[in-house]
């Protein structure tokens, strides 16, 4: 008999069928009630064991974490909390789980303990839910872009180009540290390396993505990116997944429209397709925040917060307006900010971004038209000669979730900027070809996928929304 | 006026509208007919310029590769080859393309030349089509698994585990080659490296994927994987994308069913959604093969070949049967194989796989139950004690496209195998936890995505189906 997924059993329209379920024991109560989970849903199916006619030896082996196969009749449940249950006829232990040794016992574990057991934490309710939500959000990303005719582009992970300047890079090499091949003047001879040159892990697929947008019109990337930065924070990972759409003929306004529409779409998709998981995570968050002082708790329960984002436009504010707001703000005047905002041109710190989003506007904010000298070389210079067509989207509790811009499509202006920043033109000659041949207005952005998952799941540490987090000092598994 | 995509213009149901189109000039004929492409489709829209009333200066700038914006009336075309055309009222040059310098002139380029210009080759018909097909195939992969309730898992790219044995690995490091930190006994001190240990680029997400399958039931990965092997062939890349589903409670038969159903689904999805591109690629292949001797040409045109795969079951053949067939084959008897098959236990070379698929069975073949000692440690041992529940799927023209197995779920058997192969148990302790706690039958496979794209597009070199190929000596862009 083929087994049926727990999710399908719980959604069944008929009862009194003979069914088989396979999964893992979450709990076993009164020597009679197995809460069985197979990962297809956050919900368990209750399996009622006829303990009088089941060998004592078998019952003993029904422990948390054990894999079992149960066959029996699907009936309406008399107990509270579930619609259906299985009246078990045969119970088979597929794989034992020694109660003395299995680390994921049904009790409260610290998130830190769970991180150290990243290969097992997914067997808990919370992490099962998070990983299902993450998966559904990933699909929503693809569905959104594909339905709009975007082409998915896998930009390279190993890159020979190091001029992007988005962050510190990891070296990729097949050269040995001992007896490293050297040139005559004693430098490392990368010609002897696998790719015949120095290579790194990508920090962004944008530049390569632009070359494709200038041929295919609308493209997006969705792949891993890397930062070799020693940032031990709850918002940074050394390896994370990024989504980078790039659209020919889009200007900054189109870019903001796209980003906002996109984010609302994927959140709505998660709400529509992960209701049970999100409800569970909402409860988890409420529970967790009980121990926090009122001021540190979320202003809204999770589902309300997600719906709020769907129903309200993101507030669009220029950098210049933002500086005015910040300069006049109470924490600035009372010198509560670590970095006091005195004048136009200052780079915004995460404390300022959070103030704008969480205290002042109380909704997602799109900041745009930043000073040129705090932004990347490829952003389009405004008529004022001092700001660029950049945008950052800031989310409550998360901070920056999107960074993007209209790109500098004018060859001469771009070259001048590169010269000023001493960026090697030769190295980026292929990128400049987009401006040499058939250049056009275009724009795009990058969205850190894990920050989106953080927001949607209500988790607070980015290490808890990626299967196997990579951070300084941690590359287990 | 908002511009309309060429694809939508060509699919329009009404004419005589005022429309705006933006894109790149493919050709400009008789100072009058612009073939305009914006990447949304392989098809161009013809834009008829009123050359008598257009400044000579502007007409001169309408060169191959130039970006232009045209506004005019969408009318039924009088010319052959297109349903609609635009009668241009205003023509604006957005970005020039110097005819003396733009490398992608409308003539035949060698594939090698195009590879060196990977950032521009996507502006050709063939590479535009390939990249659109690749994108649609990617989406089909996600759609197939998500609709079946699989959870997408991003297994780590940087891995601290080097025991998988699937191939040579690239080192990932933030340590310098000069003044490399050393331990007291002179070894490289990886404790000083970013992750505090030696790390590499993943060769497979399978082992991590298994830990998730034993919690979530059905999972799949789809991400980049790496091989630091000096394979300069038309079938190997140093960086490629792999799809790895893993399913709890599946045995080898279920695994074969899943792989076959999956491959047929994604091919059908491409046929249903990339008709124009595949038709173009079929024509391209026919053209290319004209110069080849009859024996080297494809037996079927591309679309017929794809439909053949949909309509015919994959032939399932045990390794033992395959050896019998090969031993008795003409090329074996006439010693035409480079590796003559004499006895059971021999590893199959690509010449043997191709013989089975292309000459003997003339259809996709699933080989299963391989000798244990030529397969990986985690594959389930059969009752015969000498074969394992492995499977490879072989495709005509491609060779191996899938490798998979039922996994050894028995802790004791797995440990014994690891000991025999001197695989470090401590290192893989987390993996062994899946067998310690609630172990169960499970199975999965890996499909090299680029090989699938090769098959579907009819291309013959794997470097032509990935945006920026990474191979020995090549990491440009």
């Amino acid at each position: 008999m083929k087994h049926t997924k727990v999710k399908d059993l719980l959604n069944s329209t008929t009862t009194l069928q003979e069914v088989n379920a396979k999964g893992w024991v979450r709990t076993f109560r009164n020597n009679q009630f197995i809460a069985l989970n197979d990962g297809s849903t956050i919900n368990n199916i209750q399996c009622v064991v006829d303990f009088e006619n089941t060998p004592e030896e078998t019952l003993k082996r029904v422990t948390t974490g054990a894999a079992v196969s149960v066959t029996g009749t699907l009936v309406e449940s008399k107990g509270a909390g579930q619609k259906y249950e299985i009246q078990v006829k045969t119970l088979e232990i597929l794989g034992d789980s020694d109660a003395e040794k299995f680390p994921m016992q049904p009790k409260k574990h610290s998130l830190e303990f769970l991180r150290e057991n990243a290969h097992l934490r997914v067997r808990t309710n919370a992490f099962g839910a998070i990983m299902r939500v993450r998966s559904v959000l990933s699909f929503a990303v693809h569905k959104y872009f594909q339905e709009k005719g975007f082409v998915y582009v896998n930009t390279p992970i190993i890159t020979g180009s190091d001029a992007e300047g988005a962050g510190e890079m990891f070296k990729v090499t097949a050269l040995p540290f001992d007896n490293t091949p050297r040139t005559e003047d004693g430098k490392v001879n990368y010609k002897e390396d696998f790719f015949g040159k120095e290579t790194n892990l990508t920090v962004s697929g944008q530049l390569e993505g632009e070359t494709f947008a200038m041929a295919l019109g609308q493209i997006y990337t969705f792949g891993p990116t890397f930062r070799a930065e020693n940032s031990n924070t709850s918002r940074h990972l050394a390896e994370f997944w990024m989504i980078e759409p790039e659209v020919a003929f889009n200007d900054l306004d189109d870019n903001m429209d796209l980003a906002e529409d996109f984010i609302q779409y994927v959140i709505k998709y998660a709400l529509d397709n992960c209701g049970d998981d999100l409800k569970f995570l909402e409860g988890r968050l409420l529970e967790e925040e009980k121990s926090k002082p009122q001021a540190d708790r979320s202003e809204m329960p999770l589902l309300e917060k997600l719906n709020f984002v769907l129903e309200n436009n993101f507030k669009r504010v220029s950098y210049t307006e933002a500086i005015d707001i910040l300069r006049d703000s109470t924490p600035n005047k009372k010198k509560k900010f670590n970095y006091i905002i005195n004048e136009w041109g200052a780079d915004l710190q995460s404390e300022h971004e959070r103030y704008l989003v969480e205290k002042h506007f109380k909704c997602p904010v799109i900041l745009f038209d930043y000073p040129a000298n705090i932004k990347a070389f490829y952003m389009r210079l405004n008529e004022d000669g001092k700001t660029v067509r950049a945008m950052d989207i800031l989310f409550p509790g998360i901070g920056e979730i999107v960074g993007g811009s209209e790109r500098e499509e004018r060859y001469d202006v771009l070259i001048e900027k590169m010269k000023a920043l001493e960026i090697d033109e030769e190295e980026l000659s292929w990128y400049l070809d987009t401006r040499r041949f058939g250049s056009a207005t275009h724009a795009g952005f990058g969205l850190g996928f894990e920050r989106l998952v953080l927001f949607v799941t209500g988790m607070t540490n980015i290490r808890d929304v990626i299967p196997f987090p990579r951070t300084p000092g941690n590359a287990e598994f």
Side-chain angles (χ1 to χ4, degrees), chain A:
Chain A
M1 185 182 214
K2 194 81 194 146
H3 70 282
T4 307
K5 282 191 278 183
V6 169
K7 186 177 185 177
D8 295 335
L9 290 173
L10 294 173
N11 288 331
S12 178
T13 49
T14 56
T15 54
L16 296 173
Q17 326 154 44
E18 186 86 349
V19 298
N20 172 243
K22 290 177 177 172
W24 294 272
V25 175
R26 283 290 165 85
T27 57
F28 185 40
R29 238 173 357 99
N30 297 349
N31 232 8
Q32 191 174 15
F33 303 106
I34 300 174
L36 187 74
N37 190 284
D38 68 356
S40 62
T41 157
I42 184 107
N43 300 307
N44 306 320
I45 190 153
Q46 174 159 290
C47 307
V48 186
V49 178
D50 177 5
F51 61 97
E52 286 172 346
N53 292 306
T54 307
E56 187 59 30
E57 254 324 290
T58 305
L59 292 174
K60 270 193 194 152
R61 295 169 64 196
V62 183
T63 52
T64 295
V68 301
S69 172
V70 300
T71 307
T73 317
L74 187 72
V75 298
E76 286 190 25
S77 176
K78 289 158 215 153
Q82 64 266 329
K83 193 172 159 201
Y84 296 129
E85 62 189 24
I86 298 174
Q87 300 252 297
V88 178
K89 287 183 186 150
T90 63
L91 165 64
E92 187 192 349
I93 310 292
L94 302 173
D96 290 287
S97 175
D98 186 336
E100 303 290 306
K101 292 180 183 156
F102 183 54
M104 299 290 120
Q105 292 303 318
K107 57 166 194 167
K108 185 102 185 125
H109 299 283
S110 76
L111 289 169
E112 190 46 44
F113 170 81
L114 291 170
R115 268 168 228 145
E116 285 162 12
N117 288 280
H119 63 306
L120 295 177
R121 67 178 175 172
V122 65
R123 299 190 187 194
T124 65
N125 281 330
F127 283 90
I130 293 164
M131 294 307 160
R132 278 187 298 270
V133 172
R134 181 183 166 103
S135 167
V136 166
L137 281 170
S138 293
F139 186 58
V141 169
H142 286 291
K143 197 159 149 42
Y144 178 83
F145 287 119
Q146 296 268 344
E147 284 174 358
K148 287 198 175 303
F150 282 63
V151 178
Y152 180 44
V153 178
N154 295 125
T155 48
I157 310 300
I158 299 172
T159 173
S161 157
D162 65 352
E164 294 163 27
E168 286 298 307
M169 296 176 105
F170 288 106
K171 186 157 55 199
V172 175
T173 182
L175 291 181
F177 279 110
D178 295 310
N179 302 315
T180 314
R182 300 277 173 175
T183 57
E184 277 180 15
D185 54 354
K187 293 201 175 122
V188 176
N189 186 0
Y190 286 106
K191 288 212 173 108
E192 299 271 311
D193 205 349
F194 188 91
F195 295 108
K197 64 187 297 194
E198 218 172 330
T199 51
N200 297 295
L201 288 178
T202 184
V203 291
S204 159
Q206 179 199 317
L207 303 193
E208 292 89 351
E210 281 186 55
T211 70
F212 270 53
M214 298 311 279
L216 300 173
Q218 304 168 292
I219 66 101
Y220 71 108
T221 73
F222 186 4
T225 47
F226 306 85
R227 296 282 185 283
E229 275 151 28
N230 203 356
S231 302
N232 249 315
T233 83
S234 61
R235 303 195 313 142
H236 291 90
L237 291 166
E239 172 180 314
F240 59 100
W241 285 64
M242 186 137 73
I243 297 148
E244 297 183 280
E246 189 75 35
V247 185
F249 314 120
N250 263 12
D251 63 18
L252 188 66
D253 288 325
D254 299 323
N255 205 31
M256 292 191 218
D257 292 344
L258 179 68
E260 182 169 343
D261 188 54
F262 165 65
I263 292 173
Q264 290 181 329
Y265 176 93
V266 297
I267 291 177
K268 179 158 192 332
Y269 192 85
L271 281 167
D272 290 346
N273 291 277
C274 300
D276 288 349
D277 287 321
L278 292 175
K279 223 175 173 58
F280 174 86
L281 291 167
E282 173 173 275
R284 187 203 153 276
L285 188 61
L286 282 172
E287 194 59 40
E288 193 187 68
E289 291 189 339
K290 272 187 188 159
S291 60
K292 288 188 180 173
Q294 188 71 42
D296 292 352
R297 295 184 200 170
S298 307
E299 297 206 349
M300 298 177 197
L302 184 61
L303 295 177
E304 195 180 326
K305 181 188 78 173
L306 297 179
N307 278 303
F308 178 85
V309 171
L310 297 192
E311 287 154 13
N312 292 278
N313 290 337
F314 298 4
K315 181 77 187 162
R316 301 185 185 189
V317 185
S318 76
Y319 167 89
T320 303
E321 289 169 79
I323 286 290
D324 288 344
I325 293 166
L326 288 167
R327 202 155 33 189
D328 293 347
S329 71
T330 312
N332 203 56
K333 288 181 181 161
K334 293 197 171 170
K335 306 213 187 285
K336 298 272 184 198
F337 284 145
N338 288 319
Y339 295 86
I340 303 300
I341 298 287
N342 287 318
E343 54 192 25
W344 193 94
D347 203 354
L348 300 186
Q349 305 298 320
S350 110
E351 57 182 344
H352 308 126
E353 295 176 348
R354 297 191 69 155
Y355 174 82
L356 289 169
V357 170
E358 290 162 24
K359 304 293 174 193
H360 189 84
F361 291 110
K362 294 176 186 282
C363 75
V365 170
I366 310 184
L367 289 186
F368 63 92
D369 281 354
Y370 280 81
N373 59 357
I374 60 170
K375 287 290 180 182
F377 75 95
Y378 47 71
M379 298 186 178
R380 194 183 201 278
L381 193 65
N382 275 312
E383 299 300 305
D384 62 16
K386 62 176 190 174
T387 61
V388 287
R389 304 246 73 193
M391 67 176 206
D392 280 357
I393 302 186
L394 314 176
F395 258 49
I398 306 291
E400 185 193 324
I401 194 166
V402 162
S405 68
E406 188 179 322
R407 317 306 187 187
E408 183 55 78
E409 88 283 10
R410 295 163 296 184
Y411 180 81
D412 295 342
V413 182
L414 186 58
I415 285 287
E416 207 171 301
K417 186 70 165 283
M418 288 171 67
K419 278 194 208 304
L421 295 172
E422 294 179 7
I423 295 170
D424 189 340
E425 287 170 48
E426 198 50 49
E427 182 77 22
L428 282 185
S429 181
W430 55 274
Y431 178 66
L432 290 168
D433 276 353
T434 54
R435 277 64 170 176
R436 284 190 192 108
F437 307 116
S439 189
T441 300
H442 61 291
F445 60 84
L447 180 144
F449 182 59
E450 281 74 19
R451 293 195 179 170
L452 178 68
V453 184
L454 261 188
F455 184 75
V456 173
T457 58
M459 300 300 291
T460 50
N461 191 317
I462 202 159
R463 298 165 199 217
D464 297 329
V465 297
I466 189 166
F468 298 93
R470 266 72 183 104
T471 52
N474 181 27
E476 296 310 307
F477 315 104

